[in-house]
Amino acid sequence: MVVGLDLAADGIGGESFGAEANGVIAYVASILGSPTHDTGWFDPVASGVACPGTEVRHVTWGDLALFFTDESMLTSGLRHFAAYTYGPAAGPFVTPFGLSIDGGITVGDTVDELLAIYPAALINDSDDLGGASFQVVDGLGGFLTGTSGSDTITTFV
């Protein structure tokens, strides 16, 4: 477990969605060290990227990616934290290892383990838009290898 970086529907660790970008990056870096990649701020339209806002930024620490923008449902005109993804593994193991949601559920846990902690979680079959997925609460979900009890969590979004 990584102390201070719990995954949640409203942000990560002590930082909430909508928080100023530089503060969020500094907070995560204080726990995980320097990012493995940082795109810097760029114009998504000029780059052909379908993202909200006039400028966006992706900062990653291995398999943890934070998305920042100046325009979202949360706020406008402020470079802020808008979303994160955790997984799938870029290598043989997910890094940083140990990020989890309440109850200790993390990448690699099974559908059965997820449902034991979150019995009301929605488990969705694959469809034309994507693979099997789950939703714990509004704003916190992810993707699965399948929907059987032994299938596993691959990504949190």
Side-chain angles (χ1 to χ4, degrees):
M1 181 169 95
V2 177
V3 176
L5 279 183
D6 294 337
L7 305 174
D10 62 350
I12 186 169
E15 297 292 339
S16 298
F17 295 127
E20 188 273 327
N22 288 333
V24 174
I25 294 166
Y27 174 78
V28 175
S30 75
I31 296 169
L32 298 178
S34 297
T36 54
H37 183 71
D38 185 343
T39 63
W41 291 99
F42 66 94
D43 178 351
V45 175
S47 302
V49 177
C51 293
T54 61
E55 53 184 349
V56 297
R57 182 178 183 183
H58 296 98
V59 181
T60 60
W61 288 261
D63 302 306
L64 173 66
L66 277 54
F67 171 72
F68 303 91
T69 184
D70 65 344
E71 184 74 37
S72 74
M73 296 182 324
L74 301 165
T75 190
S76 180
L78 170 71
R79 291 175 165 179
H80 64 277
F81 180 35
Y84 67 80
T85 60
Y86 179 56
F93 303 101
V94 66
T95 58
F97 180 78
L99 300 184
S100 63
I101 61 174
D102 284 342
I105 298 298
T106 191
V107 170
D109 286 345
T110 66
V111 171
D112 282 346
E113 290 168 325
L114 174 69
L115 291 173
I117 302 295
Y118 295 97
L122 300 174
I123 307 297
N124 304 302
D125 288 319
S126 299
D127 60 21
D128 293 339
L129 299 176
S133 63
F134 68 95
Q135 183 175 9
V136 175
V137 295
D138 191 30
L140 180 60
F143 294 97
L144 304 163
T145 59
T147 59
S148 74
S150 61
D151 282 309
T152 59
I153 297 170
T154 61
T155 308
F156 283 96
V157 178

